[in-house]
Amino acid sequence: MKEDNYWIRRVKNGKRNDFSPLVKRYKDSIFYFILKMVQNEEDAVDLTQESFIKAFNKISKFKEEYSFKNWLFTIASHHTIDFLRKKKQLKETDLLEIDIDRPYVSPIDAVIKDERMKKLSCEINLLPENYRMVILLKHKEELKIEEISEIMGVPHGTVKVWLHRAREQLRKRMAK
Amino acid sequence: MKKRSYKDIEDYLEGEKRSIEGDAMEGDKKFKETLELFTMLKSLPGKPAPRDFERNLYKRLGISYVPVYRKVLILAGLSIFSTLVYLTGRASLRFVSSKITLTTVSQFFSQVYTKLAQAVSLVKVGGHLKDIVLAFTNPWLFVAVAFVSSILMLMLIGLSQEAKKKTVLLRRF
């Protein structure tokens, strides 16, 4: 966090090139998070880039007492949610036709060799968006409930409920 | 059996067994499933961003971007160049220092002085030659010089003929 703040201060002082260490540090986690949310590599690349561009343009508003990682995830999650909403409006009929029982094979699944892991990845893809987001932020990014609630802009209680339900669904599906 | 919450399992995974006893939980089916789920979620392999991601992003942001491989190449090139410069400098310094003595230094400076003096005299001769050439551009001067030189030549021829004889008649002049 201290290192992040050092680079952020330099970017704020006009050294634009010093944004690159921040990109290097968080690009993979943000990309993975967005990819799991949108389940399309091209869209994920675009959304990740746009999230970083937004962060870069708004960096003067960033307060150092806040975690840059959480701030970046907030931007990325809001951007992803907006994208998914627009996509849903456009392709509502297409989405209804998705066969829930047939697991979606994402680009990540293709890389995973372990069958149980592959199954888990597929099951995560089948979760509702808010559950998926909560699971990824909690278990992959290891964020606290309070941080997830700030990122998603929902009360702590809601995050807890979503997390519990997501875990229950995953546990049951994995036990099958 | 007491119902286990996810918080209990989280604590158990983090090594905090205050609220739960591991041995008691291990027989619990839900515990086993949840434990496996949590472990798998944590070790779920990620997918890195594409290789050209940074380049495209920096292009859009207007930030200069030097890829890692190019940085490595530049650094390697610079280090090789600086090593070469250092080694060449050291070798030439050693070579020169082995050759230098008080006599060689004074000899060297005297040679340099001689060469400089030669160069200066050459320049001066050049200057005189120029003056001579310029003098011949005046036709009257040229005629005068030709006249004087032809008389001198005649005198020289005469003298040489007289010299062939055994006696030189100086009275004639």
Side-chain angles (χ1 to χ4, degrees):
Chain A
M1 191 170 164
K2 272 184 184 173
E3 204 191 317
D4 287 352
N5 286 340
Y6 168 76
W7 294 116
I8 290 160
R9 250 175 270 145
R10 285 176 70 93
V11 177
K12 279 182 181 176
N13 290 334
K15 287 173 181 164
R16 293 159 60 92
N17 289 0
D18 287 341
F19 190 64
S20 58
L22 298 167
V23 174
K24 271 192 180 71
R25 177 176 276 191
Y26 295 112
K27 70 178 165 73
D28 289 339
S29 51
I30 295 284
F31 173 72
Y32 177 78
F33 170 71
I34 294 176
L35 181 62
K36 284 300 276 178
M37 291 303 297
V38 298
Q39 299 176 14
N40 179 299
E41 200 163 334
E42 273 180 41
D43 291 338
V45 169
D46 283 345
L47 288 168
T48 313
Q49 289 205 348
E50 281 158 17
S51 302
F52 274 108
I53 290 167
K54 269 191 178 177
F56 182 77
N57 292 334
K58 287 181 182 176
I59 207 154
S60 55
K61 289 175 187 168
F62 174 76
K63 287 171 187 168
E64 284 188 19
E65 60 265 23
Y66 201 72
S67 152
F68 180 74
K69 184 187 172 184
N70 292 359
W71 186 67
L72 203 59
F73 267 97
T74 309
I75 292 171
S77 63
H78 288 185
H79 200 50
T80 311
I81 289 165
D82 286 347
F83 171 82
L84 289 169
R85 272 186 197 145
K86 277 178 197 168
K87 203 177 174 185
K88 246 182 202 171
Q89 280 170 0
L90 286 170
K91 293 186 176 178
E92 205 156 28
T93 47
D94 293 351
L95 284 172
L96 288 171
E97 284 166 13
I98 289 174
D99 183 2
I100 300 294
D101 293 330
R102 186 167 51 87
Y104 167 78
V105 181
S106 71
I108 301 161
D109 301 335
V111 180
I112 306 169
K113 283 177 184 168
D114 189 344
E115 285 302 315
R116 290 284 290 166
M117 279 288 194
K118 208 177 263 184
K119 193 185 177 199
L120 177 65
S121 186
C122 290
E123 294 300 345
I124 293 170
N125 294 342
L126 293 173
L127 286 174
E129 281 150 19
N130 49 348
Y131 289 4
R132 207 185 314 152
M133 196 176 271
V134 166
I135 279 285
L136 289 170
L137 292 174
K138 177 69 188 166
H139 289 283
K140 195 72 191 154
E141 298 306 323
E142 295 177 335
L143 299 179
K144 292 172 187 166
I145 299 286
E146 296 77 29
E147 290 173 319
I148 299 170
S149 129
E150 265 182 62
I151 287 170
M152 294 182 76
V154 289
H156 296 189
T158 313
V159 174
K160 280 182 185 172
V161 170
W162 286 352
L163 189 61
H164 181 80
R165 286 179 187 166
R167 282 164 168 174
E168 276 293 299
Q169 281 191 22
L170 282 179
R171 190 181 60 78
K172 281 175 186 166
R173 285 177 189 171
M174 288 301 287
K176 272 182 191 174
Chain B
M1 193 183 280
K2 191 193 162 193
K3 199 183 173 187
R4 311 293 177 202
S5 70
Y6 286 117
K7 182 82 180 82
D8 291 334
I9 300 163
E10 270 178 44
D11 288 346
Y12 177 76
L13 276 170
E14 285 164 14
E16 293 173 21
K17 296 183 185 178
R18 278 170 286 130
S19 60
I20 200 157
E21 283 175 24
D23 294 339
M25 283 184 71
E26 272 156 24
D28 189 347
K29 191 190 166 196
K30 187 185 168 186
F31 165 75
K32 278 184 180 172
E33 286 170 4
T34 314
L35 198 66
E36 189 205 26
L37 176 69
F38 281 18
T39 318
M40 279 169 72
L41 279 169
K42 208 171 180 179
S43 55
L44 201 65
K47 189 175 185 337
R51 199 178 279 179
D52 57 349
F53 176 85
E54 276 188 71
R55 194 183 60 198
N56 294 338
L57 176 65
Y58 297 147
K59 214 174 184 181
R60 286 174 78 176
L61 284 171
I63 289 175
S64 67
Y65 170 64
V66 182
V68 180
Y69 76 90
R70 206 177 288 173
K71 275 182 191 168
V72 170
L73 279 176
I74 289 167
L75 271 173
L78 280 174
S79 55
I80 289 167
F81 178 72
S82 55
T83 313
L84 275 172
V85 166
Y86 170 72
L87 289 174
T88 315
R90 203 178 66 167
S92 50
L93 194 73
R94 276 185 186 174
F95 177 76
V96 168
S97 60
S98 67
K99 297 277 175 188
I100 288 175
T101 56
L102 197 64
T103 32
T104 50
V105 170
S106 60
Q107 192 190 4
F108 172 75
F109 279 114
S110 63
Q111 274 179 348
V112 169
Y113 177 76
T114 320
K115 295 277 175 197
L116 271 171
Q118 278 177 350
V120 169
S121 58
L122 264 173
V123 170
K124 280 183 177 174
V125 166
H128 288 303
L129 279 171
K130 196 187 85 182
D131 291 342
I132 291 162
V133 170
L134 282 173
F136 279 100
T137 52
N138 187 345
W140 288 113
L141 191 70
F142 178 73
V143 167
V145 168
F147 180 71
V148 171
S149 60
S150 59
I151 286 169
L152 283 171
M153 283 297 286
L154 281 169
M155 283 170 75
L156 274 170
I157 292 161
L159 272 173
S160 64
Q161 280 173 350
E162 288 295 328
K164 281 177 188 169
K165 293 174 185 173
K166 284 183 180 173
T167 53
V168 178
L169 295 171
L170 289 171
R171 279 179 301 166
R172 289 177 70 175
F173 297 102

